Amino acid sequence: MQRIVTGYCPTLDDECSIQITYLNASTLKKQGFVKSSFRCKHSAYASCHISSCPIFEAAPETLQ
């Protein structure tokens, strides 16, 4: 599952949108998705890392 999330990027000093991938973590008793990775169109031009992206960090860890 893909979600677009927008937030403030300190590297770009501007609002930015990233595409977050959530993986299916459903079981027989519960359906849900867990946060996995993201794509940012600006990451090729800036020194962005998954562990330091505040937009990715602020996104929900799980989705129902």
Side-chain angles (χ1 to χ4, degrees), residues 2-64:
Q2 309 283 317
R3 288 283 168 105
I4 303 295
V5 178
T6 301
Y8 175 74
C9 174
T11 302
L12 299 173
D13 192 26
D14 201 3
E15 290 290 308
C16 183
S17 295
I18 62 172
Q19 180 180 12
I20 298 179
T21 300
Y22 285 87
L23 301 177
N24 189 345
S26 299
T27 65
L28 293 174
K29 294 183 179 183
K30 188 175 179 183
Q31 183 178 359
F33 299 86
V34 293
K35 186 167 63 171
S36 173
S37 60
F38 76 94
R39 288 183 63 175
C40 174
K41 66 181 179 180
H42 303 288
S43 64
Y45 309 108
S47 59
C48 298
H49 303 286
I50 197 166
S51 62
S52 63
C53 177
I55 302 169
F56 181 75
E57 291 298 319
E61 292 294 323
T62 59
L63 298 175
Q64 301 282 330

